[in-house]
Amino acid sequence: VIELIGGRKTYQTGALSFEALRGVDLRVEAGEYVAVIGPSGSGKSTLMHVLGCLDVLTQGTYRLTGHDVGELDEVDLAMVRNTQIGFVFQQFHLLTSLSAVQNVELPLAYRGIGRAERRALAVEALERVGLGDRLENRPGQLSGGQQQRVAFARALVGDPAMILADEPTGNLDSTSTEEVLGLLDELHAAGRTILLITHEADVAARAARVVRVLDGLIQEDAR
Amino acid sequence: VIELIGGRKTYQTGALSFEALRGVDLRVEAGEYVAVIGPSGSGKSTLMHVLGCLDVLTQGTYRLTGHDVGELDEVDLAMVRNTQIGFVFQQFHLLTSLSAVQNVELPLAYRGIGRAERRALAVEALERVGLGDRLENRPGQLSGGQQQRVAFARALVGDPAMILADEPTGNLDSTSTEEVLGLLDELHAAGRTILLITHEADVAARAARVVRVLDGLIQEDAR
Ligand SMILES: Nc1ncnc2c1ncn2[C@@H]1O[C@H](COP(=O)(O)OP(=O)(O)OP(=O)(O)O)[C@@H](O)[C@H]1O
Ligand SMILES: Nc1ncnc2c1ncn2[C@@H]1O[C@H](COP(=O)(O)OP(=O)(O)OP(=O)(O)O)[C@@H](O)[C@H]1O
Ligand SMILES: [Mg+2]
Ligand SMILES: [Mg+2]
């Protein structure tokens, strides 16, 4: 499902340029559960953004379910993102003026799903992460851990084929962490492809495969 | 230095009201190192915001170094916040249009410290957290862990008497976590008062005292 060949990503900050990915090769089969670990600043989020079609490579080839992502235009990319991929951002990126349930409905609204069905699916997703009693709270009226769980519910709600989760348990206590990891196990058992970035060794251990990133390169790929 | 008596905080969400703090009593002496733990949504950040003069109690008394915070006006509160307290927010709250070094200079600018001295102190604080080579990057050009370290450097730069840190290591790998905790140890050894919210048991173990919060109340206070 994922084929990345010689992936490079360079950022420009004024006159300086910084190569965050320096030639990454990665293949992931459909239904695999892969953890991505590595030091702060090593390129994990950059890699995820490329795999999630949120950012483009400076060089190299990326094929998602056989399609060359470099050939797709903005509209195609948005369709792929919206129907195939559920993304949990490291910084949540919730819309602050919308309530929790509205934030979770959003991916469904983009797909043109009707209001009543959208709401029912969003409520169910929030209940699965233990937030059935916070539906109308806006992100500023939720704790850090609750916001993270809303972001997680939003990634699951459309039942996408692939989940890309960037430190989904960074702000969570052990009980909420267990809930989130339990949901990922369920999705994996149902055949979804999962990539999970984490700093926590016990979280990485849940995956069947662990990819270690260092200074923009894959250093190790252990099954 | 901290005396909280019967602290209550109620949030209003439309017609619903939710009591996040339900009568908290807490005394902290100058120079103490206290960890605050508890489940997601239990009231830890709310407590910190009250202690940091960022939010006000609905009921109860809060005295900071002997002054009744409820009697202070907005200007006094800002002065107290800016000269006595360094705050590391759970969501970083960096200004996205400023560079890393400008974000760290900000607390010093509020105090009227000159440009050259401000810059030198800010550069030094960023070097202490391992970001001497990212001075001109804006928050959007930094990784999650790097942003968290900028937020940490901003809290330290004015050498405040009290540091309130809300999950300062949530997004950090083990090396950066060690760096940040090492800095907190140094500050504690230099007599600063430290309150640290964390979900990680090994991080809480660094403090001399651990306060456990549950449903808006202090459940346990272990030395
Ligand atoms: N502005 C607000 N309006 C309504 N409810 C709020 C508001 N801010 C916080 N809350 C509620 O108050 C409770 C306590 O929030 P707080 O942020 O203090 O939790 P926390 O212990 O820091 O949790 P976490 O570990 O998830 O960060 C939560 O249940 C939250 O939903
Ligand atoms: N827009 C940008 N402009 C310049 N440099 C950037 C930009 N975005 C990221 N970087 C740099 O690229 C490197 C990789 O960032 P990335 O966010 O992928 O790290 P990460 O492995 O996710 O780290 P963390 O564990 O701290 O989240 C970092 O050194 C960062 O400073
Ligand atoms: Mg990251
Ligand atoms: Mg919190």
Side-chain angles (χ1 to χ4, degrees), chain B:
Chain B
V1 95
I2 284 178
E3 256 181 287
L4 186 60
I5 306 156
R8 288 176 180 271
K9 176 73 187 169
T10 304
Y11 290 112
Q12 219 55 37
T13 337
L16 294 172
S17 77
F18 178 78
E19 202 170 33
L21 298 177
R22 300 190 299 141
V24 174
D25 298 311
L26 183 66
R27 285 180 68 93
V28 176
E29 304 305 327
E32 273 199 280
Y33 189 163
V34 181
V36 178
I37 64 175
S40 175
S42 55
K44 302 182 299 297
S45 294
T46 303
L47 175 61
M48 273 310 211
H49 290 167
V50 166
L51 296 180
C53 305
L54 293 158
D55 208 345
V56 289
L57 290 172
T58 316
Q59 218 182 312
T61 306
Y62 175 35
R63 278 198 215 98
L64 179 64
T65 55
H67 305 292
D68 186 338
V69 165
E71 314 264 312
L72 301 177
D73 65 17
E74 238 353 274
V75 175
D76 292 334
L77 277 179
M79 271 313 283
V80 164
R81 263 201 312 267
N82 202 7
T83 54
Q84 298 198 25
I85 302 170
F87 208 100
V88 187
F89 295 95
Q90 191 170 3
Q91 306 294 336
F92 315 151
H93 294 317
L94 298 174
L95 299 186
T96 52
S97 57
L98 298 183
S99 68
V101 73
Q102 288 172 319
N103 265 288
V104 176
E105 284 183 32
L106 217 57
L108 303 174
Y110 288 143
R111 290 201 212 164
I113 293 178
R115 229 187 133 75
E117 186 187 350
R118 253 184 9 229
R119 172 135 185 133
L121 289 170
V123 168
E124 192 206 322
L126 283 167
E127 282 168 354
R128 285 174 90 187
V129 295
L131 291 175
D133 59 349
R134 290 285 185 276
L135 301 180
E136 301 311 326
N137 288 38
R138 289 192 305 285
Q141 300 172 322
L142 294 169
S143 77
Q146 290 169 339
Q147 289 179 48
Q148 189 152 46
R149 282 184 279 157
V150 172
F152 190 75
R154 183 183 59 182
L156 303 181
V157 76
D159 199 13
M162 186 160 83
I163 305 268
L164 302 179
D166 194 344
E167 316 246 15
T169 61
N171 278 295
L172 298 183
D173 60 290
S174 46
T175 326
S176 305
T177 292
E178 247 339 284
E179 266 170 36
V180 164
L181 295 178
L183 282 173
L184 285 174
D185 287 345
E186 272 176 46
L187 290 165
H188 180 229
R192 306 288 173 262
T193 311
I194 296 172
L195 277 97
L196 174 74
I197 294 178
T198 182
H199 287 307
E200 296 163 61
D202 52 348
V203 172
R206 304 280 287 237
R209 189 176 155 196
V210 178
V211 170
R212 180 187 292 277
V213 174
L214 186 68
D215 295 334
L217 290 169
I218 289 183
Q219 209 194 4
E220 204 189 310
D221 186 342
R223 287 163 206 266

